[in-house]
């Protein structure tokens, strides 16, 4: 018999979270976006633990997440994946910021801004759209090249159905998106020192 992860609490809206922050009752905020996305814009007081790092070091992180945790990403999809990973490892009090940083900003809540960079979704649209456009045009002269665009379309369809994106994973490994990777020991030290 396989164990099922404990049920998680519903997502948390940006206005509700902003209210908790203003009242001094802010939960731990783990931002699971890439370091580049985090440096561009993030919620003050949040910790950057990219999704891959979180999955790899969730056991180490669990020991320091003994209170309510809200997972944050751009729109909520990666945060939901992080929620599954942490809930499966036994962290009971997890929530996802509904609509992510986009909703937080739309609610007029404060953010810390750095150097402007394109978010992952926009990068995927650029690469996929460019590849389909180029292979479609070249396919007029070279038979069969259009099939590359068809394969990309199939990949995007699979990404939508599975709520995962191989192209996004590959793009997240580019130097543009990586930047200095958050050191798990530093994040744990910050989690320990923050009341």
């Amino acid at each position: 018999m396989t164990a099922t992860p404990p049920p998680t609490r519903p997502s948390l809206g940006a206005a509700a979270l902003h209210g908790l922050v203003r009242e001094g009752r802010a939960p731990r905020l783990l931002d699971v976006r890439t370091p580049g996305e985090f440096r561009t814009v993030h919620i003050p007081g949040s910790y950057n633990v990219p999704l891959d790092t979180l999955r790899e070091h969730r056991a180490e992180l669990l020991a320091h997440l003994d209170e309510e945790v809200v997972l944050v990403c751009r729109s909520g999809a990666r945060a939901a994946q992080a929620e599954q990973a942490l809930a499966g490892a036994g962290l009971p009090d997890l929530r996802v910021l509904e609509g992510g940083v986009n909703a937080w900003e739309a609610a007029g809540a404060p953010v810390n801004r750095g150097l402007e960079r394109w978010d992952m979704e926009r990068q995927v649209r650029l690469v996929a759209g460019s590849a389909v456009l180029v292979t479609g045009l070249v396919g007029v002269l070279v038979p069969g090249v259009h099939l590359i665009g068809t394969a990309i379309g199939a990949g995007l369809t699979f990404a939508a159905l599975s709520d995962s994106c191989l192209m996004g994973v590959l793009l997240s490994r580019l130097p543009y998106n990586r930047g200095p990777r958050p050191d798990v020991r530093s994040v744990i030290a910050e989690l320990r020192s923050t009341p």
Side-chain angles (χ1 to χ4, degrees):
M1 181 181 248
T2 60
T4 58
T8 56
R9 295 169 63 183
S11 60
L12 182 65
L17 177 59
H18 190 215
L20 291 172
V21 170
R22 280 193 315 253
E23 294 167 7
R25 300 184 305 129
R28 298 276 183 155
L29 301 175
L30 296 186
D31 191 319
V32 299
R33 297 174 301 153
T34 66
E37 289 173 294
F38 183 80
R39 280 193 315 275
T40 297
V41 62
H42 64 271
I43 299 171
S46 60
Y47 302 91
N48 184 217
V49 184
L51 184 56
D52 290 341
T53 303
L54 182 137
R55 286 178 175 148
E56 183 181 337
H57 297 282
R58 65 183 172 194
E60 297 167 64
L61 291 166
L62 283 176
H64 305 286
L65 297 174
D66 56 355
E67 67 233 26
E68 184 179 10
V69 173
V70 174
L71 299 162
V72 179
C73 68
R74 179 181 173 275
S75 62
R78 284 177 279 177
Q81 292 174 26
E83 178 188 31
Q84 290 175 348
L86 288 175
L91 188 62
D93 203 5
L94 286 169
R95 297 176 98 174
V96 170
L97 176 58
E98 188 176 297
V101 171
N102 289 346
W104 178 263
E105 281 192 279
V111 294
N112 290 341
R113 288 201 178 280
L115 180 66
E116 189 65 35
R117 292 172 177 255
W118 283 15
D119 61 54
M120 191 58 59
E121 183 179 320
R122 188 174 181 190
Q123 291 178 51
V124 168
R125 289 192 312 250
L126 173 70
V127 171
S130 298
V132 171
L133 176 64
V134 169
T135 59
L137 293 174
V138 172
V140 171
L141 302 172
V142 181
V145 172
H146 71 282
L147 294 175
I148 295 171
T150 303
I152 291 171
L156 291 173
T157 301
F158 176 78
L161 294 173
S162 66
D163 199 20
S164 65
C165 184
L166 177 60
M167 188 179 296
V169 169
L170 295 174
L171 287 172
S172 72
R173 294 189 175 142
L174 292 175
Y176 175 82
N177 291 313
R178 294 188 80 164
R181 184 175 178 182
D183 177 37
V184 173
R185 287 183 289 271
S186 299
V187 172
I188 289 173
E190 286 181 51
L191 289 171
R192 260 193 228 134
S193 66
T194 308

